[in-house]
Amino acid sequence: MSNAPRYASRIARMKASEIRELLKLIDRPEVISFAGGIPDPELFPAEAAREAYAAALRDPAVALQYGVSEGHAALRAWIAAEMRRDGVPAGPDNILITAGSQQGLDFLGKALLSPGDTVLCEYPTYLGALQAFSAYEPRYDQLRPGGNRTPASYIGRAAKAGGAVKALYLVPDFANPTGLTLGAGERADVLRLAEELGALVIEDAAYRALRFSGVASPSLQALDVAAAGDLERSRVVYLGTFSKTVAPGMRVGWVCAPAALIAKLTLLNQASALHVSSINQIAMLKLVERGYEARIADARTHYRRKREALLDALERYGRGLAWTIPEGGLFSWLTLPEGVDAAKLLERALSEVRVAFVPGAAFHPDGSGTNTLRLSYSLPTTERIEEGVWRLSRLL
Ligand SMILES: Cc1ncc(COP(=O)(O)O)c(C=O)c1O
């Protein structure tokens, strides 16, 4: 008899993507990579982090001890104040500290999704959200946020197959992977649709702080709270993170939601990892108490410069291509001429011109979008960004 594990059904749906395997090859210096999508380590506050950890260790009985599953109280209070500045009247009871927003996505999948339930998301959407939710065996359906002339809608195939629409998942600001931001009309429309469906809205705000141009729209949560009159009656769950503004390796993010939902998610956290590392939470608090605004301002300047380099290079060399113009975040989304397969292009780009990117189909739950790709400008220098776009244009 085989002694291979008899996996649960959810495991059958989880597979390493071929693209990820291919992209393991990009760590060579000659490759110009637009694939990464991770923060630029040049921005990491190494010295300040050293001091913050040293300060945290002055009280080892707290920093090195177990903590409560909700998260370090003073950090929750700090985050609640930050949420209030962004138009959401949150208190510490509305905040759960998570190991990055990724863990928040997992907890929400666990709390909300039974097999066969439907999640509405944009096509394309954040791959990590699909990975987190897929363990709970939902169906996906394409959400169209609507806007000025069309109401928000969804295709309805999965929902008609019988699954309840439990959640709408969106990255409203500078989305991964498209770089696009929802306008005010789209935000109102999404909330209207969620209300009609009796579904929760999961607002993934991973890049919200990184705006370089244009005017910020209120978060979906702030809009919904204004309409409902109270955060406790809101149907929006907000996922925040310090990964893009401070340091992803510290793994500190948060969920902001009605207190009753936070209590349920806290139970899941208790069962999963008990809590996020005490010392990381305390060091993060010390880091953000000292100059969070300045750090964000630096990050905005840094990424704005890189975005300009990418957009200038695309203007110069991108004949026949269409691309998005992000007002913040780390990504632009490229559409190739009809019939050009971005996955095949990646193979040739790596071997012939030493450029990497992520083909767009990976971000579509139904595998569509084969002639699209994601470019991240976060890691290469401005010179390498220009060189990379030039190399790609030669190949095309
Ligand atoms: C849209 C989006 N959400 C969530 C995450 C997860 O980030 P973290 O878990 O580090 O907060 C990422 C990371 O790339 C992301 O792009």
Side-chain angles (χ1 to χ4, degrees):
M1 207 153 83
S2 156
N3 59 1
R6 291 159 61 203
Y7 289 113
S9 56
R10 70 184 71 90
I11 290 294
R13 305 173 55 146
M14 306 181 84
K15 46 184 187 297
S17 84
E18 289 162 32
I19 301 299
R20 236 166 238 260
E21 295 304 307
L22 198 56
L23 292 175
K24 279 186 189 157
L25 309 173
I26 64 178
D27 268 350
R28 291 169 309 194
E30 70 272 22
V31 175
I32 297 178
S33 178
F34 296 111
I38 54 179
D40 191 342
E42 256 188 50
L43 288 169
F44 292 164
E47 191 48 44
R50 219 169 278 132
E51 287 166 18
Y53 277 91
L57 280 169
R58 275 182 219 124
D59 191 358
V62 177
L64 300 181
Q65 184 55 284
Y66 284 118
V68 293
S69 296
E70 291 85 343
H72 185 64
L75 179 61
R76 293 169 77 210
W78 189 92
I79 291 169
E82 196 65 17
M83 292 301 302
R84 291 196 293 276
R85 287 189 345 141
D86 201 22
V88 175
D93 287 349
N94 300 112
I95 306 294
L96 168 71
I97 308 294
T98 54
S101 43
Q102 189 67 31
Q103 194 181 37
L105 290 168
D106 176 54
F107 289 167
L108 287 168
K110 211 176 218 174
L112 300 174
L113 302 175
S114 298
D117 284 344
T118 296
V119 176
L120 305 186
C121 57
E122 291 186 80
Y123 288 17
T125 192
Y126 170 52
L127 190 52
L130 298 178
Q131 284 173 326
F133 298 150
S134 288
Y136 305 102
E137 306 178 69
R139 300 179 168 102
Y140 294 104
D141 219 320
Q142 184 175 2
L143 170 65
R144 295 185 175 132
N148 293 337
R149 289 193 190 86
T150 47
S153 64
Y154 62 106
I155 302 280
R157 231 173 293 128
K160 277 194 199 114
V165 178
K166 284 287 189 63
L168 284 66
Y169 167 76
L170 296 107
V171 189
D173 298 288
F174 332 122
N176 180 1
T178 62
L180 293 174
T181 296
L182 293 191
E186 291 169 309
R187 286 172 199 245
D189 255 15
V190 163
L191 292 174
R192 211 171 297 128
L193 177 64
E195 172 139 23
E196 272 169 41
L197 294 168
L200 228 66
V201 176
I202 301 173
E203 174 171 33
D204 183 337
Y207 301 94
R208 181 164 171 79
L210 292 184
R211 174 175 282 282
F212 351 108
S213 59
V215 182
S217 288
S219 67
L220 288 171
Q221 192 171 53
L223 289 170
D224 196 50
V225 168
D230 186 356
L231 173 55
E232 302 308 325
R233 284 205 296 272
S234 168
R235 60 174 66 253
V236 180
V237 182
Y238 180 103
L239 298 178
T241 180
F242 294 115
S243 288
K244 318 296 175 180
T245 48
V246 183
M250 292 174 73
R251 308 307 300 133
V252 184
W254 69 94
V255 183
C256 177
L261 176 57
I262 291 294
K264 292 274 185 254
L265 299 177
T266 301
L267 292 177
L268 295 179
N269 197 16
Q270 208 163 41
S272 165
L274 296 182
H275 60 82
V276 175
S277 146
S278 303
I279 191 168
N280 287 2
Q281 292 187 67
I282 295 165
M284 184 60 81
L285 176 62
K286 294 192 184 298
L287 278 169
V288 294
E289 276 175 343
R290 284 190 225 131
Y292 188 52
E293 287 303 317
R295 245 180 269 295
I296 290 178
D298 281 354
R300 285 177 175 158
T301 310
H302 187 76
Y303 292 127
R304 184 193 292 123
R305 215 178 318 116
K306 295 196 178 203
R307 176 197 70 165
E308 292 315 317
L310 181 76
L311 296 181
D312 287 351
L314 285 168
E315 283 295 339
R316 210 162 319 140
Y317 307 119
R319 226 171 303 117
L321 304 175
W323 56 88
T324 60
I325 299 182
E327 291 188 334
L330 309 180
F331 308 105
S332 175
W333 183 250
L334 218 72
T335 305
L336 302 164
E338 205 58 53
V340 179
D341 182 334
K344 294 208 176 91
L345 184 70
L346 173 62
E347 279 178 40
R348 291 191 53 198
L350 279 171
S351 65
E352 293 175 33
V353 295
R354 311 269 184 238
V355 172
F357 52 80
V358 184
F363 302 99
H364 293 70
D366 61 357
S368 60
T370 51
N371 69 324
T372 57
L373 59 92
R374 187 189 76 180
L375 294 178
S376 167
Y377 42 83
S378 65
L379 291 180
T381 61
T382 51
E383 294 75 28
R384 300 264 287 173
I385 287 172
E386 180 179 356
E387 164 84 19
V389 173
W390 176 74
R391 286 191 202 175
L392 256 189
S393 73
R394 268 193 327 170
L395 184 65
L396 281 163

